Amino acid sequence: MTPHRLRAALRGVPDPRWLDAALRRVATDPAAIARLFATAARKCGRGPLPDPPGWTVDEAARALLLTALPAGHAAAAESLYRYGDAAEKRAVLRALPLLPIGAECVPLLHDAIRTDDTRLVAAALGRYARHLEQPAWRQAVLKCVFTGVPLAVVDDLAGRADGELAAMLAGLAAERHAAGRSMPADAADLLDRLGAGSPSTTIPEA
Amino acid sequence: MRIFDPHIHMTSRTTDDYERMAAAGVRAVVEPAFWQGQPRTSVDTFVDYFDSLIGWEPFRAGQFGVRHHATVALNPKEANDPRCRPVLDLLPRYLDKDGVVAVGEIGYDSMTPAEDAAFAGQLALAVAHDLPALVHTPHRDKARGVERTLAVVAESGIDPGRVLVDHLNEVTVRLVRDTGCWLGFSIYPETKMSPPRMVELLRTYGTERILVNSAADWGRSDPLLTRATGEAMLLAGFTEDDVDRVLWRNPVEFYGQSGRLDLADLDGLRG
């Protein structure tokens, strides 16, 4: 994902001049982002974008506002997340991979994964989660399975899933089986793949 | 019957309530920031409370098909506590949020000078942020409290059509009905207002600018009394359109003045 692609996707918003002006304003007056970020959904809309898939108009507009800052991206992301409503928090999480920051904003992922708001958990597992340490990442993937978040939201799932994740998934599958409940199909598929591909994994008898 | 409860403290209610409300036809609620029973001793606890009103609680409501909006303010009781008054400085940030459809609950509890200042200051914030105001009226010395409330509203310069004066009864309704403000009635199991009394008030004053809420919270209260009031109206000969006006269209019109009410994609809106 690139800012350029998001900008192109937002050409059709009801009031494109508002967004143009907001982006210019943020570039020269960074403190203005707090109010502009909060009002962006009312000005631009909230519906899904046809492209890029998985993005909504408000997320894209807010992510662009963050990319338009001249400097201080990590501090701004932290502050907007801290004081944001759920939709603003989600937009910050989705913007993180687009920003010139290192691993500074990983604490925001920890906060999002700790919540029980599935929209935040899902948004925390995008590309920026490559900075997330493996134990926390595994817990987050397991939380997705636990709360019904589709595993398609997890960036680089195939590359990163390991034997330990397989063991945790197998444990959940065993509990579900004992309780007469089933695993989501995507998690069962992942477990099959991991079980076949990593002989060191110990999977308990179901 | 589609129901919009314009005043209910869902933070204090269980998921059983959400299930029963959804089954009874409640599709949308407004949760005003208010007193939580236990006095708060720092600004930070308000921050977490306000965050919950624009974060976790709307998510919780959404799981049951109920759309949740909030009003944010420093309530009259805690406006008297110097440890809580700096909350007033935090409000502008929250008043920009999509889910915040009014400033409230503001108004009087004991009618102190500190309450005067917080009330007038927050009415000014409502004007500055182009938001309506939800005004609580005191439970003690109520009639004089309502008179003083209306004087402060008039002095603030806010359009009375953007003010909802809440918790009215047979005595205080007479003071408010010709001011242009909206009239709110909280239907409670024992205190405040009951469904049969509410029906009598609707017979006397009509359905215009009248809102009915459950004000359900952490005390003895019942989130289904909005529905009970609608049923009592039908039994008394009001039409389904009358019920829809009081329980849906009036709150939508009042809070819709914020420009932020989002009722898109809600099921069962045809009543």
Side-chain angles (χ1 to χ4, degrees), chain B residues 130-143:
Chain B
D130 204 17
L131 285 172
L134 169 59
V135 178
H136 166 94
T137 54
H139 304 308
R140 305 173 303 278
D141 203 7
K142 194 174 190 78

Side-chain angles (χ1 to χ4, degrees), chain B residues 40-60:
Chain B
R40 284 168 281 205
T41 58
S42 76
V43 170
D44 289 348
T45 60
F46 281 87
V47 170
D48 292 338
Y49 175 55
F50 295 157
D51 285 347
S52 168
L53 294 181
I54 58 170
W56 176 239
E57 201 57 43
F59 177 75
R60 218 164 72 95

Side-chain angles (χ1 to χ4, degrees), chain A residues 99-205:
Chain A
L99 303 178
I101 54 176
E104 291 155 86
C105 286
V106 166
L108 302 188
L109 301 189
H110 286 295
D111 182 276
I113 290 165
R114 209 158 37 233
T115 70
D116 274 350
D117 187 330
T118 47
R119 298 164 306 179
L120 296 183
V121 175
L125 288 171
R127 228 160 68 74
Y128 193 75
R130 68 185 184 278
H131 296 294
L132 197 61
E133 55 277 34
Q134 190 70 0
W137 182 84
R138 286 190 209 105
Q139 286 284 344
V141 173
L142 203 64
K143 188 161 185 171
C144 285
V145 177
F146 205 79
T147 55
V149 175
L151 290 177
V153 305
V154 181
D155 184 68
D156 192 28
L157 179 65
R160 208 168 165 181
D162 56 10
E164 181 61 20
L165 180 65
M168 293 161 79
L169 282 171
L172 178 62
E175 286 185 60
R176 287 265 168 111
H177 180 76
R181 299 169 61 203
S182 61
M183 289 280 274
D186 55 2
D189 289 348
L190 175 63
L191 188 53
D192 281 346
R193 288 202 302 275
L194 290 172
S198 47
S200 65
T201 305
T202 52
I203 298 177
E205 292 291 318

Side-chain angles (χ1 to χ4, degrees), chain A residues 59-71:
Chain A
E59 285 166 8
R62 284 172 169 150
L64 273 178
L65 285 171
L66 264 167
T67 62
L69 286 170

Side-chain angles (χ1 to χ4, degrees), chain B residues 33-112:
Chain B
F34 199 54
W35 165 251
Q36 290 200 296
Q38 174 71 30
R40 284 168 281 205
T41 58
S42 76
V43 170
D44 289 348
T45 60
F46 281 87
V47 170
D48 292 338
Y49 175 55
F50 295 157
D51 285 347
S52 168
L53 294 181
I54 58 170
W56 176 239
E57 201 57 43
F59 177 75
R60 218 164 72 95
Q63 293 176 307
F64 301 90
V66 176
R67 190 62 51 86
H68 182 288
H69 294 85
T71 77
V72 169
L74 175 61
N75 65 76
K77 269 183 202 262
E78 288 172 310
N80 290 302
D81 188 332
R83 294 171 299 183
C84 300
R85 273 200 292 274
V87 167
L88 293 171
D89 303 327
L90 288 176
L91 291 176
R93 188 141 202 167
Y94 288 97
L95 298 180
D96 278 341
K97 300 301 183 190
D98 285 337
V100 174
V101 292
V103 175
E105 298 179 54
I106 52 177
Y108 284 118
D109 177 58
S110 302
M111 290 185 272
T112 64

